[in-house]
Amino acid sequence: EAQVTQNPRYLITVTGKKLTVTCSQNMNHEYMSWYRQDPGLGLRQIYYSMNVEVTDKGDVPEGYKVSRKEKRNFPLILESPSPNQTSLYFCASSLFRGRGTEAFFGQGTRLTVV
Amino acid sequence: GQQVMQIPQYQHVQEGEDFTTYCNSSTTLSNIQWYKQRPGGHPVFLIQLVKSGEVKKQKRLTFQFGEAKKNSSLHITATQTTDVGTYFCAGDSGSARQLTFGSGTQLTVLP
């Protein structure tokens, strides 16, 4: 089954404790991205990747890191989480960018930083 | 940077009533996509509009792309409880490397 898999689904952590949210897709998509969803703000892009070893900042990259060592995986790293990073996070992938292909979203990760 | 505004933020309708959400971009778009997110779920792609003035239908859903390619709308005829969720538009300016999502319209359908 074609899908985007995120882990964990739920995470409660303390301020400053490094964490990684994993994202994997099995559709051989080139383009992957991370979004955060906050009430009234919609989906805001954190980072995106056009292909392996090619990543770039989205609209709200501060406090986040990503890597794209393999085509299928695109982990999101919070080196020192803070309470304002409490949010619902989605990973998404699409075949490529530039021609408006649809994005497939993971199930989401609800992160709480206390 | 590119901004995409979406209204209304919330809409409550009685089952059987119509519903419309509107999307406006600060820049001309290459295309626009619409997504639906059910409560507790993730966004799911509905449709993409590319051409100026384009109108597409999916059963009770009608999607329009404005002539200037800066605005779009989603209209649902005779809503059903299965239509509950948040509807997002996402604009692609073509030159940007990302979709810019609107803030979404949360639809509640009262039985």
Side-chain angles (χ1 to χ4, degrees):
Chain A
E1 180 189 354
Q3 59 185 1
V4 179
T5 304
Q6 289 179 234
N7 280 297
R9 293 288 311 278
Y10 302 92
L11 180 59
I12 301 175
T13 190
V14 296
T15 298
K17 186 177 180 181
K18 181 179 178 180
L19 67 91
T20 299
V21 184
T22 63
C23 174
S24 181
Q25 50 93 4
N26 63 1
M27 295 170 278
N28 201 36
H29 284 173
E30 289 184 358
Y31 186 88
M32 297 184 74
S33 57
W34 276 101
Y35 294 88
R36 62 177 288 172
Q37 183 175 18
D38 302 289
L41 297 177
L43 292 151
R44 294 180 293 167
Q45 193 176 56
I46 303 170
Y47 268 95
Y48 62 92
S49 170
M50 303 282 277
N51 214 323
V52 175
E53 302 291 2
V54 181
T55 63
D56 209 345
K57 297 177 181 178
D59 295 319
V60 288
E62 293 76 22
Y64 305 94
K65 285 175 59 177
V66 293
S67 68
R68 187 93 181 272
K69 293 185 171 64
E70 305 165 288
K71 198 170 188 177
R72 63 184 293 125
N73 295 323
F74 190 45
L76 178 69
I77 303 154
L78 284 72
E79 294 270 2
S80 183
S82 62
N84 64 12
Q85 292 179 298
T86 292
S87 188
L88 178 59
Y89 291 87
F90 288 101
C91 178
S93 75
S94 51
L95 187 58
F96 44 71
R97 282 295 293 131
R99 272 167 277 179
T101 54
E102 68 179 276
F104 292 82
F105 285 81
Q107 298 295 317
T109 296
R110 187 166 292 282
L111 172 65
T112 302
V113 184
V114 298
Chain B
Q2 179 186 334
Q3 290 187 327
V4 176
M5 309 298 292
Q6 191 173 353
I7 58 169
Q9 188 171 355
Y10 302 97
Q11 185 78 60
H12 292 201
V13 299
Q14 207 71 38
E15 189 173 16
E17 292 182 337
D18 292 356
F19 159 77
T20 305
T21 174
Y22 301 90
C23 204
N24 284 287
S25 170
S26 59
T27 60
T28 301
L29 299 172
S30 170
N31 64 79
I32 194 159
Q33 299 178 5
W34 285 91
Y35 291 79
K36 176 183 179 181
Q37 183 180 21
R38 295 183 186 276
H42 59 280
V44 175
F45 176 82
L46 292 176
I47 207 161
Q48 175 184 279
L49 304 170
V50 179
K51 299 176 184 176
S52 169
E54 188 170 14
V55 178
K56 285 189 176 180
K57 293 190 176 185
Q58 288 180 349
K59 297 182 180 177
R60 294 177 294 103
L61 278 61
T62 302
F63 303 84
Q64 289 189 309
F65 201 10
E67 294 291 339
K69 300 184 76 172
K70 294 182 73 173
N71 62 285
S72 182
S73 65
L74 158 59
H75 179 82
I76 302 179
T77 304
T79 54
Q80 300 175 357
T81 54
T82 53
D83 296 325
V84 164
T86 300
Y87 293 84
F88 292 98
C89 61
D92 180 353
S93 68
S95 59
R97 292 181 176 181
Q98 62 214 43
L99 292 173
T100 300
F101 280 81
S103 55
T105 296
Q106 187 176 319
L107 173 64
T108 301
V109 179
L110 306 168

